[in-house]
Amino acid sequence: MKIEEIIHELELWAPLPLQENYDNAGLIVGSKDEACTGLLICLDITEEVIAEAKTKKCNLIVAHHPIIFKGIKKLNGKNYVERSVIAAIKNEIAIYAIHTNLDNVIDGVNEAIAKKLELQNCKILLPKNNLLKKLVTFCPIENTETVKDALFAAGAGNIGNYSECSFNVEGIGTFKGNEESQPTIGKKGVRQNENETRIEVIFPTYQQDKILKNLKKHHPYEEVAYYISSLDNEWQESGSGLVGELKETLTESELCNLLKNKFNLSVIRHSRFLNKKVKKIALCGGSGFFLLPNAIASGADVYITGDVKYHEFFDADGRILLADIGHYESEQFTIELLAEFLQNKYPNFAVRKTEINTNSVHYFI
């Protein structure tokens, strides 16, 4: 199996176009055309992780955090990033990062956190917009189901928990081919009146090429009439953070103890207790302070994230309990998430989880 096949499955799950514009997800080091001898999963790339991959005969590392965020002008080993990249190249180890694109899918990093807390009725906290488009096309009535099947197979027509969604209306289309045409219906030089179906479907922007390719492949006409328009709709399948409900109401102290137990925490930094019960929980793995206004607007009692600065705790302002459980600590289960996904896809292939704790923050208790 080539590395390309593994990347293909990962990007079907968390498409690269869903990453934030500052990110650097994707294949960072190595060739996708190489055969994969083994796969190691981690949160962070370090020299120790590269050595571990070499020892375990894994020539592909799938990491959550990209080892390279900004451009590198020189590779002379002056810091851990350069040394890690050099070691990967020397040992022919490919590095693939699946970062904010995995954060931004509903069954990604934040769902892994929510599952540990057994949250129910989960929704994206800040859905992305401007990611959806609408396709309108026309085909002979007798070809309607064939064309719709082709569109659905390419990824069109998904809305929340529903698939194969479309709007259809029948009418009469007209066309007349010139002398260069090769009409499949009617005759060149003669206007054809055809009973047609107008089909409308929505789809994620990044699937446009695949959808148009499938449309043209299965449409009976020599020239396929269609138009595409962009939508302002929020897309509930993709976005930042998650909000859900605990199975039972807890006190603020009980919630903190739950967090300590579930995430193996030695400390939780938080804003002042509001002395009220908590039920609705908003969360975001990693550095998620930017979502605090959304967490408050959602009606959440608590917002859980990492990397909150001192003055940012003031912004909770008595409206919500803000809990910082740590960047690494909030994302640690991403390793399990990736391992489970890849083991299900490749049950007979060597998918390994790193044994190295790459958390760069330590606490003296």
Side-chain angles (χ1 to χ4, degrees):
M1 179 171 59
K2 290 187 176 181
I3 290 173
E4 181 178 25
E5 296 177 45
I6 298 171
I7 290 175
H8 175 72
E9 292 295 336
L10 290 170
E11 293 181 1
L12 284 177
W13 177 26
L16 285 180
L18 295 184
Q19 68 178 305
E20 301 297 330
N21 55 17
Y22 62 80
D23 202 5
N24 189 35
L27 186 62
I28 294 175
V29 174
S31 170
K32 63 182 181 181
D33 296 324
E34 295 294 325
C36 187
T37 60
L39 191 159
L40 181 68
I41 300 169
C42 64
L43 273 184
D44 309 284
I45 298 290
T46 64
E47 295 167 86
E48 291 79 13
V49 171
I50 299 294
E52 180 185 22
K54 180 182 177 181
T55 299
K56 293 179 176 177
K57 302 187 185 306
C58 296
N59 68 340
L60 173 62
I61 299 175
V62 175
H64 183 46
H65 296 134
I67 181 67
I68 299 173
F69 265 106
K70 301 177 181 179
I72 295 179
K73 294 185 177 180
K74 297 179 181 179
L75 277 175
N76 51 34
K78 69 177 182 294
N79 55 44
Y80 89 94
V81 173
E82 294 183 8
R83 291 193 297 271
S84 297
V85 171
I86 291 171
I89 294 172
K90 281 184 175 180
N91 291 285
E92 299 183 329
I93 296 172
I95 297 174
Y96 183 88
I98 182 166
H99 191 212
T100 54
N101 50 324
L102 188 58
D103 292 332
N104 285 334
V105 293
I106 194 167
D107 55 348
V109 173
N110 293 310
E111 187 187 59
I113 302 172
K115 282 184 175 180
K116 291 297 177 180
L117 298 175
E118 299 183 37
L119 297 188
Q120 302 172 326
N121 306 317
C122 293
K123 295 182 179 180
I124 296 285
L125 185 58
L126 178 60
K128 286 185 173 293
N129 54 18
N130 300 314
L131 274 179
L132 293 175
K133 290 186 176 183
K134 181 175 74 170
L135 168 73
V136 177
T137 189
F138 312 83
C139 72
I141 290 176
E142 59 267 27
N143 298 103
T144 300
E145 295 306 314
T146 298
V147 172
K148 285 196 297 184
D149 287 345
L151 295 173
F152 297 151
N158 295 315
I159 303 176
N161 294 325
Y162 297 85
S163 61
E164 300 188 8
C165 302
S166 69
F167 179 76
N168 307 269
V169 62
E170 294 181 5
I172 298 176
T174 66
F175 50 87
K176 181 171 71 173
N178 61 24
E179 289 303 314
E180 301 300 320
S181 66
Q182 299 292 329
T184 54
I185 296 176
K187 298 179 180 180
K188 65 178 66 177
V190 178
R191 185 172 64 204
Q192 175 73 16
N193 294 294
E194 185 66 27
N195 293 322
E196 293 183 332
T197 303
R198 171 189 169 113
I199 303 171
E200 299 184 18
V201 291
I202 65 171
F203 62 91
T205 301
Y206 58 84
Q207 291 181 327
Q208 179 170 317
D209 290 344
K210 182 179 179 181
I211 287 169
L212 289 180
K213 182 179 179 180
N214 246 25
L215 171 64
K216 294 174 181 178
K217 179 180 178 180
H218 293 90
H219 199 288
Y221 288 165
E222 180 184 18
E223 298 290 349
V224 180
Y226 68 90
Y227 61 85
I228 293 173
S229 53
S230 297
L231 304 178
D232 292 331
N233 303 47
E234 291 182 340
W235 189 25
Q236 190 57 48
E237 296 299 307
S238 176
S240 303
L242 212 64
V243 59
E245 296 178 345
L246 293 166
K247 285 185 176 181
E248 58 184 38
T249 302
L250 301 176
T251 66
E252 292 163 316
S253 295
E254 288 172 337
L255 175 68
C256 286
N257 282 322
L258 176 67
L259 291 172
K260 289 184 71 174
N261 291 332
K262 293 291 185 180
F263 293 84
N264 192 29
L265 307 176
S266 57
V267 64
I268 299 174
R269 300 167 64 237
H270 62 84
S271 60
R272 66 179 176 86
F273 279 175
L274 303 178
N275 297 317
K276 67 175 188 178
K277 299 286 188 176
V278 297
K279 176 75 170 179
K280 195 171 186 178
I281 308 293
L283 56 87
C284 180
S287 301
F289 175 75
F290 70 98
L291 289 174
L292 179 62
N294 304 92
I296 294 172
S298 75
D301 303 303
V302 182
Y303 179 46
I304 302 166
T305 189
D307 291 347
V308 181
K309 298 178 182 178
Y310 171 78
H311 287 98
E312 292 173 341
F313 281 101
F314 286 102
D315 292 343
D317 198 22
R319 296 171 292 177
I320 197 170
L321 175 63
L322 175 58
D324 182 344
I325 65 172
H327 192 126
Y328 176 92
E329 290 81 0
S330 68
E331 294 184 331
Q332 60 185 296
F333 302 114
T334 304
I335 294 174
E336 293 180 9
L337 177 71
L338 286 164
E340 182 179 349
F341 175 82
L342 290 167
Q343 284 166 349
N344 286 337
K345 292 292 180 180
Y346 308 108
N348 298 318
F349 187 71
V351 177
R352 303 178 182 275
K353 295 181 286 187
T354 183
E355 298 178 41
I356 297 170
N357 185 328
T358 60
N359 191 358
S360 60
V361 180
H362 300 269
Y363 302 95
F364 185 79
I365 305 299

